[in-house]
Amino acid sequence: MSANISTTTSGEAAPLEIHDLTVAYQKKPVLWGVDVTVPKGNLVGIVGPNGAGKSTLIKAAMGLLPVSSGWVKVFGTPLKENFRRVGYVPQRESVDWDFPVNVMDLVLMGRYGHLGVFQRPTKRDREIAKECLDKVKMLPYANRQIANLSGGQQQRVFLARALAQEADLYFMDEPFAGVDAATEAAIIELLHELKSKGKTLLVVHHDLPTARNYFDMLLLLNMRVVAFGPTEEVFTYELLQKTYGGRLTILSEVAEAVRTKT
Amino acid sequence: MSELIPPFDWQQHVIAPWTEGFGANIWIVLMGFFVATACGLVGNYLMMRRMALVGDAISHSVLPGIAIAFLLSHSRGTVPMFIGALVAGMITTILIEVIHKKSRVKQDAAIGIAFTTLFAIGVILISLYASQVDLDQECVLYGEIAFVPFGEPVQLTDAFSAPVPVFRMGIVAVITLIFVVLFYKQLLVSSFDAGLATSLGINATFVHYALMCWLSITVVSAFESVGAILVIAMLILPGATAFLLSHRLPVIHALTVLMAALSSLLGLHLATWLDCSMAGAMVVMASVLFVLAWIFSPLDGLLVRWVRQRKLHLEPPEEIIVVPK
């Protein structure tokens, strides 16, 4: 261990390496030749217009969608061999909130990857789930049916479940969609805490003005990668214009966002 | 009126079935219970996956599978029948997926296309080879649970024997229960969110097909003896009742089994009283239980909804009182 200190960054493969990834729905490509290597310990925002393939990128990287070409490696191996190191926060609308489970059951699902085929969640798994609920301030709601949660609470519970996965690389699909300001602040604080622990996070994000403050790195996406790099280098008028095309409303938003930067 | 509905007699319709007709009735009730338990538990997952109608589809589309199995094996043995049903069930499942994913047809229509096509092929096969197939669609679709006690017996011990259909269904019910307990995690998470399941290393596609396989086996082992109506009803009714009474899956499973037992038992008495079809009576009792749960469920039954509506302007909901810091 001590011998490797100087090479810790190069000692382990990158958390996420995407090579020449193309995804198509019925011959129509939605992602084209995505080539990205995400270095460890970064909070990466995936930004782009509607239909840019942001969610598709996450899903394809996780093996949830068939890809037309290219490959994805997680810590140097295919995801299937390394799924325990990957945590996932799907879009809130993607599940049925009438499902007959309570908050605790849902967070415990995050532990399933660590359990044997027939194994039940242990006392320790329950402790971990409780700690994670506490981190998102949802512990008092542990026994509540998930149908009786507000949008922000649902998102917090999803985050608690991702935390319970105890992963090293997280994919989050619009965790800020439809949550109130307090929840948004709580979530971003949590993401920074995870980052400070050396976790790598990829977050699909919709809101340009906040993107600049939230993320260390940005992946500007519009079917292909327009730019990927540290936020201060990538968040420029030219690149954002390239990402969003000529859409007027967005462009003025971009101009506004770039202006407030200085 | 009294000519239409026979008078109810406690002694004759409630006590007598157990004092005089015990030998036959115990098998009918057990059969009804096994069918409703196995179908009900599988049905729980179908409902959570919004696939309740797939059960209906598969119970019809196994017909060609069974017919071909008969033609090839020349027997009504359990093994060829299961294999035929399994293959047909799988083809139905795959067909539904393919039609729905590779065309603009939505899933409900895809289900309708897949099962009617296969069912029709089954009907043609049976009418074509009627002389060789000792089977008709009537018997497959409208098997009668009242004949179950007269089935060929299996000698379990020296002193104890059970009719083959009941014995077979009992095994299917027990295995279903074991599956649900052993693979609870996999079934739960893949039903809730297939993407999440995949990210947890659980193969959601495999779970889906395994569930469909088991559905085919359950359906075929049940409906030859009790008829498709009872099978389709039991896939949905006991579970639907249980869903109204609880928000936790383990409790829902337990309530499903309880509803299965109740509808089977009450159905026997209803059929004795009205002197009508046993399977029909069991389904009607299952529906009665559903309606009772719908009205009286303490969670959000009609009664509770009505009371809540009236109280609404008196108390604000708790979220408004407790402002979390």
Side-chain angles (χ1 to χ4, degrees), chain B:
Chain B
M1 201 58 193
S2 59
E3 291 153 32
L4 291 176
I5 300 174
F8 180 74
D9 183 285
W10 179 265
Q11 176 60 34
Q12 194 186 341
H13 301 132
V14 180
I15 311 286
W18 298 108
T19 49
E20 291 155 33
F22 182 82
N25 287 337
I26 185 71
W27 296 124
I28 294 175
V29 170
L30 265 182
M31 186 67 182
F33 172 61
F34 290 151
V35 168
T37 302
C39 292
L41 288 174
V42 175
N44 282 173
Y45 289 97
L46 295 183
M47 272 202 284
M48 285 191 290
R49 290 160 175 255
R50 309 259 163 125
M51 286 169 50
L53 284 179
V54 173
D56 191 346
I58 285 190
S59 59
H60 282 80
S61 60
V62 291
L63 186 63
I66 296 176
I68 292 171
F70 279 138
L71 284 174
L72 294 179
S73 71
H74 298 287
S75 85
R76 292 187 61 143
T78 305
V79 175
M81 205 168 74
F82 274 4
I83 294 172
L86 254 184
V87 173
M90 276 305 93
I91 291 174
T92 316
T93 314
I94 294 167
L95 218 56
I96 293 171
E97 296 270 323
V98 170
I99 295 174
H100 155 58
K101 284 201 176 135
K102 307 274 172 180
S103 81
R104 273 166 43 213
V105 175
K106 300 272 182 287
Q107 196 187 11
D108 51 348
I111 293 173
I113 294 167
F115 94 82
T116 47
T117 306
L118 285 164
F119 183 63
I121 292 173
V123 171
I124 291 177
L125 281 175
I126 288 174
S127 60
L128 257 179
Y129 302 104
S131 53
Q132 293 159 53
V133 182
D134 173 28
L135 160 99
D136 60 295
Q137 59 264 48
E138 299 282 306
C139 119
V140 173
L141 283 186
Y142 310 107
E144 176 54 66
I145 196 169
F147 301 147
V148 158
F150 313 115
E152 204 182 316
V154 192
Q155 207 69 37
L156 293 174
T157 63
D158 289 345
F160 186 69
S161 70
V164 171
V166 182
F167 179 67
R168 192 173 58 197
M169 201 62 223
I171 292 178
V172 171
V174 169
I175 296 177
T176 307
L177 205 61
I178 292 173
F179 276 174
V180 166
V181 171
L182 281 186
F183 298 107
Y184 178 76
K185 280 197 317 250
Q186 289 83 349
L187 285 165
L188 177 74
V189 74
S190 67
S191 304
F192 182 58
D193 183 348
L196 176 77
T198 310
S199 85
L200 294 167
I202 292 166
N203 189 334
T205 315
F206 178 79
V207 175
H208 173 74
Y209 282 103
L211 187 67
M212 291 301 116
C213 268
W214 193 246
L215 172 65
S216 309
I217 289 188
T218 308
V219 161
V220 77
S221 46
F223 79 8
E224 197 214 11
S225 334
V226 305
I229 311 302
L230 186 63
V231 174
I232 296 167
M234 288 311 171
L235 280 169
I236 301 178
L237 271 171
T241 310
F243 273 96
L244 291 180
L245 295 173
S246 172
H247 283 326
R248 302 281 317 274
L249 192 53
V251 183
I252 287 173
H253 285 331
L255 284 171
T256 300
V257 175
L258 179 70
M259 292 303 147
L262 276 178
S263 36
S264 160
L265 187 66
L266 294 173
L268 175 89
H269 290 294
L270 181 69
T272 317
W273 171 30
L274 299 178
D275 193 20
C276 66
S277 149
M278 292 269 182
M282 287 178 181
V283 175
V284 166
M285 286 326 291
S287 316
V288 168
L289 292 172
F290 172 78
V291 172
L292 289 178
W294 185 18
I295 299 173
F296 296 108
S297 165
L299 294 179
D300 58 351
L302 290 177
L303 220 57
V304 173
R305 277 171 195 237
W306 181 71
V307 171
R308 254 186 231 149
Q309 201 98 58
R310 302 205 55 188
K311 276 166 83 179
L312 203 60
H313 10 252
L314 301 178
E315 308 167 13
E318 54 181 306
E319 274 87 353
I320 295 180
I321 306 170
V322 187
V323 181
K325 188 71 188 127

Side-chain angles (χ1 to χ4, degrees), chain A residues 207-247:
Chain A
D207 183 47
L208 259 187
T210 51
R212 185 166 59 90
N213 301 321
Y214 284 175
F215 304 107
D216 333 317
M217 293 184 85
L218 285 180
L219 175 66
L220 303 185
L221 192 73
N222 193 349
M223 282 175 66
R224 59 197 175 77
V225 176
V226 177
F228 175 55
T231 304
E232 59 270 25
E233 289 173 24
V234 173
F235 201 86
T236 65
Y237 185 80
E238 291 72 29
L239 287 175
L240 289 171
Q241 193 186 30
K242 252 174 109 181
T243 312
Y244 283 85
R247 279 175 240 190

Side-chain angles (χ1 to χ4, degrees), chain A residues 9-67:
Chain A
T9 45
S10 59
E12 194 182 35
L16 179 67
E17 192 183 350
I18 299 176
H19 180 71
D20 194 26
L21 186 77
T22 296
V23 180
Y25 292 135
Q26 292 163 16
K27 285 187 180 172
K28 200 176 141 231
V30 278
L31 274 183
W32 190 257
V34 173
D35 237 342
V36 167
T37 302
V38 180
K40 191 177 175 228
N42 280 291
L43 179 50
V44 182
I46 302 176
V47 175
N50 288 331
K54 303 185 295 282
S55 294
T56 306
L57 176 61
I58 283 196
K59 285 184 186 148
M62 296 203 60
L64 304 181
L65 286 177
V67 303

